[in-house]
Amino acid sequence: MLTWKDIIHFSVKGNPKPDSKIIKTEEEWKTLLTPEQYRITRKKGTEAPHSGDLCTSYESGKYTCICCNTSLFDSTIKFESGTGWPSFTQPIKENAIAYNKDESFGMVRVEVICNTCDAHLGHVFPDGPEPSGLRFCINSESLTLKKEHNE
């Protein structure tokens, strides 16, 4: 289980190696994504709070990167944070996410990106529920929910 100490270590000392890497040109991303998805994932944008479809969805499944389909989060670790963005306590795998120190807007935060394609996802904070204490605050536009079908 990742802790805040692990997140800070990754953001300062280097991120875990991804299983694979996907690199595309800006033009290729623009053809694959909606303008809003492109603005958020490729230009480090943020959607308005409480605006994303996945904010209040608690269906079973895996949350994948909208850009490259890499599995990032599981529905079992999603929680209601009250912030207006989907929130998770852990990534699905330690190397699914990369962490960057973010000093924009006059504050210090830790940006989370897809470790496979470098898509901006959101930020992680040390104010989540136990046992990890982490809150991955993720833009809905950065994710797709692959629903689990119980048959």
Side-chain angles (χ1 to χ4, degrees), residues 67-98:
C67 295
C68 69
N69 207 33
T70 296
S71 291
L72 301 173
F73 301 100
D74 188 274
S75 61
T76 60
I77 54 169
K78 187 175 184 204
F79 69 99
E80 175 52 57
S81 65
T83 62
W85 290 276
S87 297
F88 304 88
T89 59
Q90 292 283 304
I92 206 162
K93 288 173 58 176
E94 183 174 288
N95 70 342
I97 303 288

Side-chain angles (χ1 to χ4, degrees), residues 57-130:
S57 173
Y58 288 92
E59 296 179 75
S60 294
K62 305 280 189 260
Y63 289 86
T64 64
C65 176
I66 195 74
C67 295
C68 69
N69 207 33
T70 296
S71 291
L72 301 173
F73 301 100
D74 188 274
S75 61
T76 60
I77 54 169
K78 187 175 184 204
F79 69 99
E80 175 52 57
S81 65
T83 62
W85 290 276
S87 297
F88 304 88
T89 59
Q90 292 283 304
I92 206 162
K93 288 173 58 176
E94 183 174 288
N95 70 342
I97 303 288
Y99 306 90
N100 297 321
K101 186 176 180 182
D102 177 0
E103 297 178 300
S104 63
F105 302 107
M107 60 182 110
V108 178
R109 304 179 290 175
V110 177
E111 174 195 22
V112 291
I113 64 172
C114 174
N115 208 11
T116 301
C117 71
D118 299 329
H120 171 76
L121 304 170
H123 291 85
V124 61
F125 302 95
D127 61 1
E130 294 300 326

Side-chain angles (χ1 to χ4, degrees), residues 7-26:
I7 301 300
I8 296 302
H9 176 82
F10 287 141
S11 71
V12 174
K13 301 286 186 184
N15 285 296
K17 185 178 189 245
D19 293 338
S20 63
K21 209 64 177 158
I22 294 174
I23 299 170
K24 296 186 183 299
T25 66
E26 291 303 303

